[in-house]
Amino acid sequence: MANVVAENLTRVFETKSGRLLALDSVSFEVQTGEVFGLLGPNGAGKTTLIRILTTLLLPTYGRALVGGFDVVKEAKKVRSIIGFSSSSERVGFDFVTARRNLWFFSQLYGTPTGEANRRIEELAALLEFQDQLDRKLYTLTTGYRQRLNIARAFINDPQVVFFDEPTNGMDVFSAKKVRELFVKEAKTNSRTIFLATHNMFEAEEVCDRVAIIDRGRILAIDSPENLKSSLSKPVVLFETDIAGASISDPTRLDGVVGGTIKVDNENETAKIRVILRDEDFLERVLQLLEKRGIRVFNYQRIEPTLEDVFISLVGAGFAERERGIEA
Amino acid sequence: MIRKLAASIMLGLEREFGWTFPPLVILLSMIPATAGVLTAVMVYWVGASAADRADPRWVAFLIVGASLYTHFASYIWAPLSAVSEGKASYTYPLVFISHSSLSYIAGRVVASFIESSFTAVLALGAATLAVKALLGVTLELSFTPLSIALFSIGMIVGLLAALGLGLMLAAYAIFVTRLEWGLPVYISGILMIFSEAIFPSSALPAPLPIIAESLPFTHIIRAARAALIGPLSLYPAEILAAALLGFAWFLTGLAVYTYSEGIGRRRGYIDYRVV
């Protein structure tokens, strides 16, 4: 059963500099018990989409249903069946204990106190912060505050839970706990988990399906495995000297569909990751690098990641996209 | 609805008192309230004594009016704070998503009202004692169970009016990304001039007394004076006027806030950060 449906969802913002198309005819369905990832760079439209689905924002055009309810016409019903957590680490009331924060939000959903207390203990145990429950929020570390924030999203026993960059800035251990919780809640309790992220690893690890979004448009939707296997073009990693950093845009290299560059200033090296139009262009790229005075220490064909899928679709990686480099 | 309201009141009380030892909060908040009341009294007393016209009845007038004024002034900002702080800490969007923003704002107002009521009553008592000690004036204030009950009813009627005004301020807070933190001070200043807190509205030039008459706070202060100073016969008409105007203000505040939430959702302001 589809728990989240978007049909031609469009959002236009009127800004001082003109109209900004944040979402452009977005359509998809997410099933019950599915962990669905929305993967894209900052500014791609992920947060706008989540704001519409959680009833914080109205769409300009199009329609969206959550749990079968229209987010515009039946907002009250939608609100009663959703949970939401944003990446903000400051969420909550500082001078109130973690337990009281969770209890307060449970009461806003009309949860009886006994049931609320049981859920608080259960969620704290799942996310391993029971010993922090009676501490005031301002005394908690960032990691614990973020775990509390995740727990709060489940406090009303929601049918659909939305997360916007949930593990952003989280320590490795906490992030692992959170990801385990997402999978458990989706598979054991048949919740729909809707996850907006730019964390490739996270999307690959927990999502049943991933929608790749860029500039308000969904470019592809499939399982992470299918998305990666659909990429028939070779992905090659060149390890070069620091001169490799001079290539600001790999797509200017003949035969390169897209790519990313990571510079290691400390070791004075660069890693140029490119997607080639086909295998025949490998020699051509090597010649071009040599011609530009870039020394290649090593190169190898590597397994594609979701970012490579993104690169093959738009020509640039997340970081380049966020910096505004055009394909 | 009741559960949401009760939880919001409890949370509000924890927020009001939770930052330190609760009796200390009351004691600290009493200082500016008492100081404000005493300042008004001393300014009057020094001026009136110089003209050889000092009258203890005006001191009682000032003490009751200024105590209630500090009470209103200290809690009408609660909705503004609930929305603006809530946008900064992202609690307001979460409350909005839970379809509880009105209960939440009302709960925060009630919590702030409780704290402020303690302060106002203690400031009233402290100012009365201080006037006796400093000026040697015994005020003809009636502290009987009936007068205290009537005074308390006035404060409760004021809650509805304050909620109405608070909802209008909350509506404003939805739209702003850069909050004017001085706004509650401006509003309080207007209330001080027009609500008969320290001088009768008849002292204002025409047509300004009309503004004073349209404020529920003016009638609450008059009703409180009727209860504590007399004559008691003025109380029913004043408390009725306060209740009717308070209800009208509440309905206006509710309409403005609900409308603002709708516009805020359309324009994307509900979860906009406030600085």
Side-chain angles (χ1 to χ4, degrees):
Chain A
M1 181 195 143
N3 232 351
V4 181
V5 179
E7 291 170 357
N8 296 315
L9 214 53
T10 302
R11 175 68 207 198
V12 178
F13 287 106
E14 302 291 342
T15 65
K16 283 176 187 166
S17 50
R19 285 161 64 87
L20 173 73
L21 185 60
L23 277 184
D24 186 4
S25 302
V26 165
S27 299
F28 60 85
E29 285 189 2
V30 185
Q31 306 302 315
T32 301
E34 185 175 11
V35 181
F36 184 83
L38 196 59
L39 183 68
N42 290 327
K46 304 187 296 291
T47 300
T48 301
L49 181 54
I50 284 200
R51 288 170 78 200
I52 291 173
L53 296 174
T54 55
T55 78
L56 280 169
L57 181 69
L58 290 175
T60 310
Y61 313 108
R63 183 165 167 255
L65 305 176
V66 175
F69 302 118
D70 190 300
V71 295
V72 177
K73 295 173 189 160
E74 299 168 293
K76 190 178 174 183
K77 288 178 180 169
V78 170
R79 288 170 188 162
S80 68
I81 59 159
I82 63 168
F84 172 53
S85 167
S86 82
S87 61
S88 171
E89 63 178 67
R90 284 214 15 90
V91 171
F93 299 94
D94 271 341
F95 292 117
V96 178
T97 63
R99 187 189 297 280
R100 201 56 146 180
N101 265 282
L102 290 173
W103 175 84
F104 170 69
F105 282 103
S106 76
Q107 297 310 289
L108 296 187
Y109 289 94
T111 312
T113 295
E115 172 69 9
N117 289 338
R118 189 190 62 75
R119 270 189 216 156
I120 291 167
E121 292 293 343
E122 187 181 298
L123 287 163
L126 281 167
L127 288 165
E128 297 185 7
F129 66 93
Q130 304 101 307
D131 54 339
Q132 307 291 316
L133 273 175
D134 295 312
R135 292 182 62 183
K136 289 191 176 172
L137 206 58
Y138 72 92
T139 67
L140 298 187
T141 61
T142 304
Y144 281 123
R145 281 186 83 127
Q146 286 176 309
R147 287 193 222 181
L148 175 79
N149 196 13
I150 303 289
R152 200 215 61 255
F154 288 102
I155 199 70
N156 59 321
D157 195 17
Q159 198 175 313
V160 185
V161 200
F162 295 91
F163 293 98
D164 190 2
E165 308 285 3
T167 57
N168 205 9
M170 200 180 261
D171 61 272
V172 177
F173 181 73
S174 298
K176 184 170 178 285
K177 283 276 150 214
V178 167
R179 288 180 193 125
E180 284 169 3
L181 180 73
F182 288 166
V183 175
K184 180 183 174 294
E185 289 296 325
K187 306 308 165 199
T188 314
N189 294 327
S190 300
R191 298 190 211 279
T192 298
I193 307 286
F194 194 103
L195 179 69
T197 182
H198 65 252
N199 183 330
M200 242 74 66
F201 170 75
E202 187 165 88
E204 285 196 49
E205 191 178 73
V206 301
C207 295
D208 297 310
R209 284 189 310 143
V210 170
I212 294 178
I213 186 168
D214 182 56
R215 295 190 174 169
R217 301 194 72 174
I218 288 190
L219 306 174
I221 301 182
D222 212 328
S223 66
E225 294 72 29
N226 286 351
L227 283 170
K228 286 188 288 181
S229 62
S230 69
L231 184 64
S232 54
K233 298 178 179 72
V235 182
V236 181
L237 180 69
F238 298 93
E239 292 176 50
T240 74
D241 62 4
I242 196 72
S246 63
I247 298 174
S248 59
D249 180 5
T251 56
R252 289 191 184 142
L253 297 171
D254 195 19
V256 171
V257 175
T260 59
I261 296 169
K262 279 185 186 149
V263 181
D264 180 349
N265 284 316
E266 202 174 312
N267 295 312
E268 297 191 333
T269 58
K271 285 183 177 174
I272 306 171
R273 185 188 182 104
V274 295
I275 300 166
L276 300 173
R277 205 159 288 157
D278 61 50
E279 202 80 58
D280 297 342
F281 283 96
L282 179 57
E283 276 305 311
R284 176 82 184 126
V285 171
L286 279 168
Q287 284 168 9
L288 284 170
L289 292 174
E290 194 181 335
K291 206 171 162 186
R292 289 190 180 197
I294 298 166
R295 197 171 146 225
V296 177
F297 303 132
N298 186 22
Y299 66 92
Q300 56 178 318
R301 189 169 170 169
I302 55 171
E303 286 299 310
T305 65
L306 283 177
E307 184 166 21
D308 296 318
V309 178
F310 181 85
I311 292 167
S312 74
L313 292 168
V314 303
F318 281 13
E320 289 77 8
R321 207 56 162 164
E322 285 162 12
R323 285 200 302 268
I325 294 171
E326 298 293 328
Chain B
M1 176 76 179
I2 298 293
R3 188 179 285 278
K4 291 178 183 186
L5 184 66
S8 302
I9 294 171
M10 288 178 78
L11 182 103
L13 286 173
E14 284 196 36
R15 189 196 165 279
E16 297 283 339
F17 294 103
W19 58 277
T20 185
F21 186 51
L24 185 63
V25 176
I26 296 283
L27 195 67
L28 291 173
S29 54
M30 239 183 82
I31 295 170
T34 311
V37 175
L38 280 178
T39 302
V41 169
M42 294 308 282
V43 167
Y44 163 75
W45 193 258
V46 170
S49 297
D52 202 21
R53 293 179 64 180
D55 183 345
R57 284 177 300 173
W58 278 110
V59 175
F61 177 95
L62 279 170
I63 284 183
V64 175
S67 300
L68 268 180
Y69 164 75
T70 55
H71 166 62
F72 296 132
S74 68
Y75 84 91
I76 52 169
W77 57 268
L80 179 82
S81 158
V83 175
S84 52
E85 282 178 17
K87 283 170 91 174
S89 64
Y90 212 79
T91 47
Y92 177 70
L94 295 174
V95 166
F96 179 84
I97 287 174
S98 69
H99 208 73
S100 314
S101 53
L102 280 172
S103 310
Y104 173 65
I105 288 172
R108 288 289 299 273
V109 170
V110 173
S112 200
F113 166 82
I114 292 168
E115 191 261 348
S116 166
S117 298
F118 274 115
T119 308
V121 171
L122 290 172
L124 182 66
T128 307
L129 292 174
V131 163
K132 192 175 181 181
L134 294 172
L135 308 177
V137 174
T138 303
L139 301 175
E140 289 180 15
L141 286 172
S142 160
F143 289 112
T144 63
L146 176 67
S147 67
I148 291 168
L150 293 175
F151 179 78
S152 305
I153 289 169
M155 287 171 94
I156 292 165
V157 168
L159 181 59
L160 201 62
L163 182 56
L165 178 58
L167 282 169
M168 289 182 229
L169 294 173
Y172 158 79
I174 288 177
F175 288 96
V176 294
T177 50
R178 200 179 272 182
L179 186 71
E180 173 49 67
W181 290 101
L183 190 68
V185 179
Y186 310 151
I187 302 280
S188 304
I190 293 168
L191 281 184
M192 189 170 71
I193 294 167
F194 290 103
S195 67
E196 276 196 3
I198 50 176
F199 58 86
S201 61
S202 56
L204 293 166
L208 295 180
I210 297 170
I211 299 173
E213 292 302 321
S214 67
L215 292 176
F217 305 107
T218 309
H219 298 281
I220 291 161
I221 290 175
R222 282 182 191 160
R225 285 192 181 117
L228 296 180
I229 305 169
L232 204 57
S233 58
L234 292 177
Y235 186 86
E238 293 297 345
I239 204 72
L240 183 66
L244 291 175
L245 283 169
F247 190 61
W249 274 48
F250 171 69
L251 290 181
T252 308
L254 195 62
V256 170
Y257 178 78
T258 308
Y259 178 75
S260 299
E261 266 198 353
I263 299 283
R265 193 180 165 212
R266 196 174 306 148
R267 294 188 186 165
Y269 292 159
I270 299 293
D271 54 343
Y272 233 73
R273 296 268 176 195
V274 177
V275 292

